[in-house]
Amino acid sequence: MSLKSETRSISSYSGSSDGNFDLAARVQKYGVLWKRPLGNNSSKWQRRFFIIKDGFLLYYPESEKKEFDRRRSFNIHPKGIIPLGNVSIDPVDDIHQEFSIQIKFECGSYLLLAAESALSRNKWLEMLRQSSRVTWLNTKLSENMIEELELQGLQFCKEKEDYHHQLQTETVALRDEICRSEELTRVAAELEKEKQKMEEATYELQDECVRIKGELEAANEQLQQLERESASMKELTAHLNTQLEGLRLEKQQTLDELQTREVEAEKLSEENQNLSEATTNLRKNLQCIEQKISQLSETKEKAEETLRNNEEMEQILQEEKHSYRQQAQELVVTLNVGSPCVIAR
């Protein structure tokens, strides 16, 4: 039997459903040893987890020891399987490892292992030598076991390729789904931003509507105040017109009387001196009346000017009121038509 067939590495195997054998099947010994690569004189040693099981030495990565301790069962996917039948096992000295063990095969090749202490090496030597006492039937069994593991490894490779293909398909589908989800998330974020903008615009329009409503109410109050002032000014103007008309009548009567007195004065020139004082008084009264008429005229002109100003102001306020009403109607239309999802504050 060649060394290659004896130390064949099994990288893939799909034996039992969980890939493990229970410790009830019993292993003879297990632990971590140093191992030098097989078939060369390299000084590079590596730590491996070893199990002795029924005439075979199985080794794994060092990390497998934690799984072994946790499961209390050994994995049937070792990095390598070494049959211990018809091999010589001896302690040796190595310049790199003090407590070395040499496993020499019939073909002349050998494998070097190393323990951490002399006591540990002696225990491994004893168990390896006990396990090396195997019959030809055990050797044949090892070959059959290796072939079976190889067949199961090939089956596992095929299943692995199928699973890899399925995983790639699912990955592509998942990537497409992620892209769609990201696009939906982006669209949702944009819609949310647009919704916030619409809400802000709606709030602004509502505030503008409230402001315009307040301005309209203030304008109405001012308009009513002006209307009341205008009515008061009209009453005052009518009263002043009445007084002015009375003063005009009084003036006319005074003029008529003055003319009569002047005629009488011409006829009664001799009595002029006696009547001069009365005439002077009448003229003074006439001057006072004319001054009052002048003052009333000025007051009337001011009242008429104030009335005209009030009428102009009333017209301006009416125009502003009409403009505010139009703006309020436009805002109401904008709120009802442009923002169907308006949320009232």
Side-chain angles (χ1 to χ4, degrees):
M1 184 185 301
S2 66
L3 179 62
K4 181 178 180 181
S5 63
E6 290 175 339
T7 61
R8 191 171 305 173
S9 174
I10 308 299
S11 60
S12 300
Y13 176 58
S14 60
S16 62
S17 61
D18 59 357
N20 301 314
F21 286 138
D22 192 274
L23 271 183
R26 294 189 59 81
V27 298
Q28 283 70 50
K29 188 170 179 57
Y30 63 89
V32 177
L33 296 174
W34 290 95
K35 174 182 173 296
R36 196 177 75 177
L38 185 66
N40 60 55
N41 295 322
S42 172
S43 61
K44 182 180 179 182
W45 290 75
Q46 297 175 333
R47 288 173 64 84
R48 294 285 185 260
F49 177 63
F50 286 87
I51 293 176
I52 298 177
K53 168 67 178 170
D54 297 334
F56 295 95
L57 180 64
L58 292 73
Y59 63 90
Y60 305 82
E62 184 182 4
S63 59
E64 182 65 23
K65 184 178 185 304
K66 293 182 180 178
E67 293 296 319
F68 180 84
D69 292 336
R70 182 178 63 83
R71 296 192 307 261
R72 305 304 298 163
S73 59
F74 70 90
N75 194 335
I76 62 172
H77 306 151
K79 288 181 68 66
I81 300 177
I82 303 171
L84 298 176
N86 299 322
V87 298
S88 60
I89 302 169
D90 300 296
V92 295
D93 294 329
D94 188 86
I95 59 174
H96 300 288
Q97 293 291 344
E98 182 178 0
F99 307 108
S100 299
I101 301 172
Q102 177 180 275
I103 301 176
K104 190 172 183 180
F105 304 97
E106 290 181 335
C107 63
S109 300
Y110 61 89
L111 174 67
L112 281 182
L113 307 176
E116 296 292 345
S117 65
L119 179 61
S120 176
R121 179 174 67 174
N122 291 336
K123 290 181 179 180
W124 277 99
L125 279 172
E126 180 181 359
M127 188 53 64
L128 286 170
R129 285 171 176 170
Q130 288 180 7
S131 298
S132 68
R133 302 187 184 97
V134 296
T135 61
W136 179 85
L137 182 60
N138 285 339
T139 303
K140 189 66 177 177
L141 180 63
S142 68
E143 292 179 353
N144 293 336
M145 181 179 178
I146 290 172
E147 291 176 358
E148 182 180 355
L149 289 174
E150 285 180 341
L151 291 175
Q152 292 176 348
L154 292 174
Q155 180 65 23
F156 178 76
C157 286
K158 185 177 182 303
E159 292 178 358
K160 181 180 178 182
E161 290 178 357
D162 295 340
Y163 175 76
H164 183 68
H165 178 70
Q166 181 182 357
L167 184 62
Q168 286 182 336
T169 303
E170 293 177 354
T171 301
V172 172
L174 181 60
R175 187 183 298 113
D176 295 339
E177 185 66 24
I178 290 173
C179 291
R180 288 193 295 269
S181 177
E182 290 177 351
E183 181 65 19
L184 289 175
T185 302
R186 184 185 64 79
V187 172
E190 291 180 355
L191 289 176
E192 184 65 24
K193 291 180 180 179
E194 189 66 23
K195 179 183 176 183
Q196 292 178 357
K197 291 180 180 179
M198 290 295 295
E199 289 178 353
E200 291 175 358
T202 301
Y203 293 148
E204 291 177 357
L205 289 173
Q206 288 178 341
D207 294 339
E208 185 68 17
C209 184
V210 171
R211 185 184 65 79
I212 292 176
K213 183 178 179 181
E215 292 179 354
L216 280 173
E217 292 176 353
N220 286 330
E221 291 178 359
Q222 292 179 359
L223 184 60
Q224 291 174 0
Q225 181 67 24
L226 288 174
E227 288 176 352
R228 288 193 293 269
E229 292 179 358
S230 178
S232 176
M233 293 301 296
K234 286 180 180 179
E235 292 177 358
L236 179 60
T237 303
H239 180 67
L240 290 174
N241 286 330
T242 302
Q243 290 182 351
L244 185 61
E245 187 65 26
L247 290 172
R248 284 177 179 172
L249 291 175
E250 186 178 354
K251 177 184 176 183
Q252 187 64 38
Q253 291 174 359
T254 303
L255 289 173
D256 292 341
E257 186 179 355
L258 180 60
Q259 289 176 359
T260 301
R261 293 289 179 90
E262 286 178 352
V263 170
E264 291 177 355
E266 289 177 356
K267 292 179 179 181
L268 302 172
S269 57
E270 64 278 4
E271 297 178 0
N272 189 29
Q273 293 178 353
N274 296 328
L275 296 174
S276 60
E277 185 176 347
T279 303
T280 302
N281 292 331
L282 288 173
R283 286 179 178 176
K284 288 181 179 180
N285 290 334
L286 181 61
Q287 289 177 356
C288 291
I289 291 171
E290 288 179 349
Q291 288 178 354
K292 289 181 179 180
I293 291 173
S294 177
Q295 291 176 355
L296 288 174
S297 297
E298 291 178 357
T299 304
K300 179 183 177 182
E301 289 177 357
K302 291 180 179 179
E304 290 176 350
E305 185 178 358
T306 303
L307 181 61
R308 286 194 300 273
N309 292 334
N310 288 338
E311 289 176 351
E312 291 177 357
M313 181 61 69
E314 181 180 1
Q315 184 177 2
I316 291 171
L317 287 174
Q318 288 287 354
E319 292 177 355
E320 290 182 353
K321 180 178 179 181
H322 180 68
S323 175
Y324 284 145
R325 284 179 178 173
Q326 286 183 344
Q327 291 181 7
Q329 290 176 357
E330 291 176 357
L331 286 173
V332 169
V333 171
T334 303
L335 289 172
N336 293 333
V337 177
S339 304
C341 61
V342 173
I343 301 173
R345 279 186 175 178

